[in-house]
Amino acid sequence: MKKKLLLQMDCNPHASVFDAVVAHDAGVDVLLQQSGITPDDVRDQIYGLMFTRGGDDLKNSAAFIGGSDVATGEAMLKAATGSFFGNVRVSVMLDSNGCNTTAAAAVAKLCGNDGLKGKKCVVLAGTGPVGKRAAGLMALEGADVVLTSRRMDRVNEACTEVNERFNVTIQGAEVATEEQAAAALDGAYAVLCAGAAGIQLISKDLWANHPTLKRLGDINAVPPLGIEDTKAHFDGETMNDKIVFGALGIGNLKMKVHRECIKRLFASNDKVFDAEEVYAVAKEML
Amino acid sequence: MKKKLLLQMDCNPHASVFDAVVAHDAGVDVLLQQSGITPDDVRDQIYGLMFTRGGDDLKNSAAFIGGSDVATGEAMLKAATGSFFGNVRVSVMLDSNGCNTTAAAAVAKLCGNDGLKGKKCVVLAGTGPVGKRAAGLMALEGADVVLTSRRMDRVNEACTEVNERFNVTIQGAEVATEEQAAAALDGAYAVLCAGAAGIQLISKDLWANHPTLKRLGDINAVPPLGIEDTKAHFDGETMNDKIVFGALGIGNLKMKVHRECIKRLFASNDKVFDAEEVYAVAKEML
Amino acid sequence: MKKKLLLQMDCNPHASVFDAVVAHDAGVDVLLQQSGITPDDVRDQIYGLMFTRGGDDLKNSAAFIGGSDVATGEAMLKAATGSFFGNVRVSVMLDSNGCNTTAAAAVAKLCGNDGLKGKKCVVLAGTGPVGKRAAGLMALEGADVVLTSRRMDRVNEACTEVNERFNVTIQGAEVATEEQAAAALDGAYAVLCAGAAGIQLISKDLWANHPTLKRLGDINAVPPLGIEDTKAHFDGETMNDKIVFGALGIGNLKMKVHRECIKRLFASNDKVFDAEEVYAVAKEML
């Protein structure tokens, strides 16, 4: 039985320790941690996996793509899958900056058992990697998605990207003021605060007595939190008849999903874990 | 019992994944993979192996030198062996760009059970690392070796290098045309096509009815292959009464030899695996 | 049971192989070896340890700080401990250039069972990392310490640093000549030669019939040794009624201490091994 070997290709000067620990805790036997990888480097490294083990043993070699820059990670994933020859391939997972596992966990929490089909979902400050993926996953669930940001040009760019990437149709809205936030949330069932650490996006006035909002999520763990007067450790707590998920509550599921995806890389040699596949795992693990 | 620890010193910006997987599959317990190593870096890293384990435990630490640049690898090997103090040393293997294992496997295949003594052997497009090593190993088997290239200055440089390195006398020939190829192969028993990927070196007209050629080898796996109308997976197949070894046939033996050499690094602390030692393993494993 | 995972953060372009082998021989299951780490990089890497394992599992993740530059290592240690949030922390050890383990082993040998309290101890050529730490540890044992160097400005700088770091009061002396060395050693009980490799610091004339010197130590293993007419392998040998410890004798204890400290990193998640803590281990292991 060959050792389970994971190649961690990271675009940062120093590869993520976080991703490395998760990989080992997910049962990887050998981790090859490589830093400063560019999309141009990927093919030769992937060849090193493809051409060293044959037949059924190939499933014991896999690749993980990480690092802070999600666009680079996406280009690396494309380079990796573009290197395969038919069945001579290895399983690969993309989770630059934790974007896929975080977005998947957040949307799975907001989706819950009731689903999002036909419901309005808002992603506040959604132009970052997590926000865009969350918006795409919500849209795939059948939600009517509104992605917001303080700047309309960024909103438009992000919506176009999400619509093309996920083959969906989401809407955008400029939200720079409390009034604009209220307008964006009008009629919404769920909201995800996908903004930067330490920035409040929804005041208690706005959410506590909101007539339609039922589920609220926040990926910001650093006070002030994205949703005023909630706690980062909330994991489905009910406040004012609304169900709230804080960053640590979402983070717990994210960790489980991350480990489970790594495990599944070694089930066969043809897995590709990007947003959709990671999300499917997150829903299973709810 | 100490873990078997292999230090992989690679001159490339990102150390070879191929070499890493082979090392693990050869039974290495711990691989220290270091990239961007220059000959000047080697001594301190080798000291780190020499001065951490004593006596019989020293055989559980070893070094592998790899990377794309064979000349740098050779300088690294020299720096490594030059760092030893008497018995305080570790076993070390050089296989930059797979040059030693590939050349050893190719020559072992062409040699077979009948040997090459007194027979004319031609290495076409032989000025690269594999070609030069193959020419040297054939000469050590007693063959009359002709190394060719399109440019005579490169031929002369390569022959001088081979003659000095292996203490043999090989000949050179310019081969830029079909006529020159025919002349070089006149009276030859074996030929190795050591050229770049995707370049045909021998037409079927030239080899199929050749009066003396008996064994043909090719290290090019990318069509068009080096030998027209053969297959990369040929591993001793007979065509037109000639025995043919394609790049994948040679590659299978190369992989076994590579793994076996890594294993043997840990048998004692005084092994040096360069072309000759790797070739001895290849002949055993035929 | 989680694997024992050690993050080796090294400021050099190529992380220490020495430290890596010791870590594995000390029972570490997984070593993450990272090179070229600056103090600014430390927080994110330490976060990768802190936020991947929870509760009692956190003790199975730890960090080692190494590399040639001790000042950088000290800044990295400060950055690491400054990253902790209350109980969410990991154990960490500093041993840049082996400074802590070497100084601890040397002082433990010179201290022996008789102690250094109230005794004059001299650190010759003591302005380097080992010398400064040794001087501080001797002072903590209650010795009257004199640190010397050929240049008085460096002596003063080193003494100030030691006094602040260890909260002690050591003295300095310029020693550039045999006469100055004799003066510095006047009334001394122990001396540690902490100079560079290959430089003699004490002539046999000076030490062999010295009226008060009882214990001599030397960290220079390259002839000429720091103490004339002794041997690097001396490990408490008596010559002229004086007890002598050579660099290899001290080095043997250093290796044991280094391994033991690594082991103890995994006993709980709140250990910090700097000079004092490493020294406590060295005294236990005498």
Side-chain angles (χ1 to χ4, degrees):
Chain A
M1 182 68 175
K2 290 279 194 299
K3 293 178 192 168
K4 288 180 195 169
L5 185 148
L6 185 69
L7 170 63
Q8 179 187 356
M9 292 185 287
D10 194 302
C11 62
N12 288 13
H14 306 294
S16 166
V17 169
F18 187 102
D19 292 338
V21 179
V22 173
H24 281 290
D25 287 347
V28 164
D29 295 312
V30 173
L31 181 74
L32 298 179
Q33 199 177 37
Q34 300 205 329
S35 303
I37 298 286
T38 68
D40 286 346
D41 297 322
V42 167
R43 197 191 61 177
D44 280 358
Q45 306 307 81
I46 288 286
Y47 278 2
L49 296 180
M50 287 162 56
F51 298 132
T52 39
R53 291 171 165 182
D56 200 46
D57 285 334
L58 207 44
K59 75 176 182 195
N60 292 314
S61 299
F64 176 91
I65 295 168
S68 301
D69 188 324
V70 178
T72 299
E74 288 169 336
M76 289 163 70
L77 177 61
K78 196 172 169 186
T81 56
S83 304
F84 300 154
F85 293 130
N87 293 330
V88 182
R89 56 185 294 165
V90 293
S91 288
V92 57
M93 174 177 178
L94 170 67
D95 201 29
S96 302
N97 219 14
C99 64
N100 278 330
T101 49
T102 303
V107 177
K109 290 285 191 186
L110 292 175
C111 183
N113 294 321
D114 295 341
L116 299 175
K117 193 167 179 62
K119 295 168 180 167
K120 178 174 175 182
C121 295
V122 180
V123 182
L124 290 176
T127 57
V130 172
K132 287 187 288 192
R133 279 168 165 71
L137 294 171
M138 287 167 163
L140 289 177
E141 285 281 4
D144 298 319
V145 179
V146 178
L147 181 153
T148 83
S149 161
R150 280 168 298 178
R151 285 178 44 185
M152 202 58 203
D153 56 336
R154 289 196 182 154
V155 167
N156 289 333
E157 194 181 2
C159 288
T160 301
E161 200 185 310
V162 170
N163 289 338
E164 288 179 359
R165 163 69 178 77
F166 290 91
N167 195 26
V168 295
T169 307
I170 69 167
Q171 308 297 324
E174 182 182 305
V175 171
T177 65
E178 182 85 356
E179 289 69 33
Q180 288 174 316
L185 291 173
D186 183 50
Y189 166 77
V191 63
L192 177 64
C193 293
I199 295 181
Q200 180 184 301
L201 295 172
I202 314 182
S203 67
K204 186 156 190 192
D205 280 351
L206 189 51
W207 72 264
N209 297 302
H210 195 283
T212 59
L213 265 182
K214 290 297 176 197
R215 299 173 85 87
L216 298 86
D218 186 5
I219 64 163
N220 163 19
V222 179
L225 302 182
I227 308 173
E228 191 183 13
D229 202 31
T230 62
K231 301 288 182 191
H233 64 76
F234 276 7
D235 192 17
E237 269 77 353
T238 299
M239 279 185 74
N240 294 54
D241 208 33
K242 295 165 196 336
I243 297 171
V244 183
F245 301 93
L248 301 183
I250 291 170
N252 282 340
L253 178 58
K254 173 224 151 30
M255 288 297 289
K256 287 180 197 161
V257 169
H258 190 160
R259 280 194 293 264
E260 182 65 20
C261 290
I262 296 285
K263 272 184 195 149
R264 295 190 187 185
L265 286 174
F266 298 96
S268 64
N269 74 324
D270 58 358
K271 296 279 190 294
V272 176
F273 281 99
D274 199 350
E276 295 87 338
E277 297 82 7
V278 173
Y279 180 62
V281 172
K283 287 193 74 175
E284 268 185 63
M285 308 203 72
L286 258 189
Chain B
M1 182 68 174
K2 290 281 194 298
K3 293 178 192 169
K4 288 180 195 169
L5 185 148
L6 185 69
L7 171 63
Q8 178 186 357
M9 292 185 288
D10 194 300
C11 62
N12 287 14
H14 306 294
S16 166
V17 169
F18 187 102
D19 292 338
V21 179
V22 173
H24 280 290
D25 287 347
V28 164
D29 295 312
V30 173
L31 181 74
L32 297 179
Q33 198 177 37
Q34 300 205 330
S35 304
I37 299 287
T38 68
D40 286 346
D41 297 322
V42 167
R43 196 191 61 177
D44 280 359
Q45 305 307 80
I46 288 286
Y47 278 2
L49 296 180
M50 287 162 56
F51 298 132
T52 39
R53 291 170 165 182
D56 200 46
D57 285 335
L58 207 43
K59 75 176 182 195
N60 292 314
S61 298
F64 176 90
I65 295 168
S68 302
D69 188 324
V70 178
T72 298
E74 289 169 336
M76 288 163 70
L77 177 61
K78 197 172 169 187
T81 56
S83 304
F84 300 154
F85 293 129
N87 293 330
V88 182
R89 56 185 294 165
V90 293
S91 288
V92 57
M93 173 176 180
L94 170 67
D95 200 29
S96 302
N97 220 15
C99 64
N100 278 331
T101 49
T102 303
V107 176
K109 290 284 190 186
L110 292 175
C111 184
N113 293 322
D114 295 341
L116 300 174
K117 194 168 179 61
K119 295 169 179 167
K120 179 174 174 181
C121 295
V122 180
V123 182
L124 290 176
T127 57
V130 173
K132 287 187 288 191
R133 280 170 165 70
L137 294 172
M138 287 167 163
L140 290 177
E141 285 281 4
D144 298 320
V145 179
V146 179
L147 181 154
T148 84
S149 162
R150 281 168 297 179
R151 286 178 44 184
M152 201 57 203
D153 56 336
R154 289 195 182 155
V155 168
N156 289 333
E157 194 181 2
C159 288
T160 300
E161 201 185 309
V162 170
N163 289 338
E164 288 179 359
R165 163 68 179 78
F166 290 91
N167 195 25
V168 295
T169 307
I170 69 167
Q171 308 297 323
E174 182 182 305
V175 171
T177 66
E178 182 85 357
E179 289 70 33
Q180 288 175 316
L185 290 174
D186 183 50
Y189 166 77
V191 63
L192 177 64
C193 293
I199 295 180
Q200 179 183 301
L201 295 172
I202 314 182
S203 67
K204 186 155 192 192
D205 280 352
L206 189 50
W207 72 264
N209 298 302
H210 195 284
T212 59
L213 265 182
K214 291 295 176 198
R215 299 174 86 86
L216 298 87
D218 186 6
I219 64 163
N220 164 19
V222 179
L225 302 182
I227 308 173
E228 191 184 13
D229 202 31
T230 62
K231 300 288 182 193
H233 65 76
F234 277 8
D235 192 17
E237 269 76 352
T238 299
M239 280 186 73
N240 294 54
D241 208 33
K242 295 165 197 334
I243 297 171
V244 183
F245 301 93
L248 301 183
I250 291 170
N252 282 340
L253 178 58
K254 173 224 149 35
M255 288 297 289
K256 287 180 197 161
V257 170
H258 190 160
R259 279 195 293 264
E260 182 65 20
C261 290
I262 296 286
K263 273 184 195 149
R264 295 191 187 184
L265 286 174
F266 298 96
S268 63
N269 74 324
D270 58 358
K271 296 278 191 293
V272 177
F273 281 99
D274 199 351
E276 295 88 338
E277 297 82 7
V278 173
Y279 181 62
V281 172
K283 287 193 73 175
E284 268 186 62
M285 307 203 72
L286 258 189
Chain C
M1 182 68 174
K2 290 279 194 299
K3 293 178 192 168
K4 288 180 194 169
L5 185 148
L6 185 69
L7 170 62
Q8 179 187 356
M9 292 185 288
D10 194 301
C11 62
N12 288 14
H14 305 294
S16 166
V17 169
F18 187 102
D19 292 338
V21 179
V22 173
H24 280 290
D25 287 347
V28 164
D29 295 312
V30 173
L31 182 74
L32 298 180
Q33 198 178 36
Q34 300 206 329
S35 303
I37 299 286
T38 68
D40 285 346
D41 297 322
V42 167
R43 197 192 60 178
D44 280 358
Q45 306 307 80
I46 288 286
Y47 278 2
L49 297 180
M50 287 162 55
F51 297 132
T52 39
R53 291 171 165 183
D56 200 46
D57 285 334
L58 207 44
K59 74 177 182 194
N60 292 314
S61 299
F64 176 91
I65 295 168
S68 301
D69 188 324
V70 178
T72 298
E74 289 169 336
M76 288 163 70
L77 177 61
K78 196 172 169 187
T81 56
S83 304
F84 300 154
F85 293 129
N87 293 329
V88 182
R89 55 185 294 164
V90 293
S91 288
V92 57
M93 173 177 179
L94 170 67
D95 201 29
S96 302
N97 220 14
C99 64
N100 278 330
T101 49
T102 304
V107 176
K109 290 285 191 186
L110 292 175
C111 183
N113 294 321
D114 295 341
L116 299 174
K117 193 168 179 60
K119 296 169 180 168
K120 179 175 175 182
C121 294
V122 179
V123 182
L124 290 176
T127 58
V130 172
K132 288 187 288 192
R133 279 169 164 71
L137 294 171
M138 287 167 163
L140 290 178
E141 285 282 4
D144 298 320
V145 179
V146 178
L147 181 153
T148 83
S149 161
R150 281 168 298 179
R151 285 177 45 183
M152 202 56 203
D153 56 336
R154 289 195 183 156
V155 167
N156 289 334
E157 194 181 2
C159 288
T160 300
E161 200 185 310
V162 170
N163 289 338
E164 288 179 359
R165 163 69 178 78
F166 290 90
N167 195 25
V168 295
T169 307
I170 69 167
Q171 308 297 323
E174 181 182 306
V175 171
T177 66
E178 183 85 357
E179 288 70 33
Q180 288 175 314
L185 291 174
D186 183 50
Y189 166 77
V191 63
L192 177 64
C193 293
I199 296 181
Q200 180 183 302
L201 295 172
I202 314 182
S203 67
K204 186 155 192 191
D205 281 352
L206 189 50
W207 71 264
N209 298 302
H210 195 284
T212 59
L213 265 182
K214 291 296 176 197
R215 299 174 85 87
L216 298 87
D218 186 5
I219 64 163
N220 164 20
V222 179
L225 302 182
I227 308 173
E228 190 183 13
D229 202 31
T230 61
K231 301 288 182 192
H233 64 76
F234 277 8
D235 192 17
E237 269 77 352
T238 299
M239 279 186 74
N240 294 55
D241 207 32
K242 294 166 197 334
I243 297 171
V244 183
F245 301 92
L248 301 183
I250 291 170
N252 282 340
L253 178 58
K254 173 225 149 33
M255 288 296 289
K256 287 180 198 161
V257 170
H258 190 160
R259 280 195 293 263
E260 182 66 19
C261 290
I262 297 285
K263 273 183 195 150
R264 295 190 187 185
L265 286 174
F266 298 96
S268 63
N269 74 324
D270 58 358
K271 297 277 190 293
V272 177
F273 281 100
D274 198 350
E276 295 88 338
E277 297 82 7
V278 173
Y279 180 62
V281 172
K283 287 193 73 176
E284 269 186 62
M285 308 203 72
L286 258 188

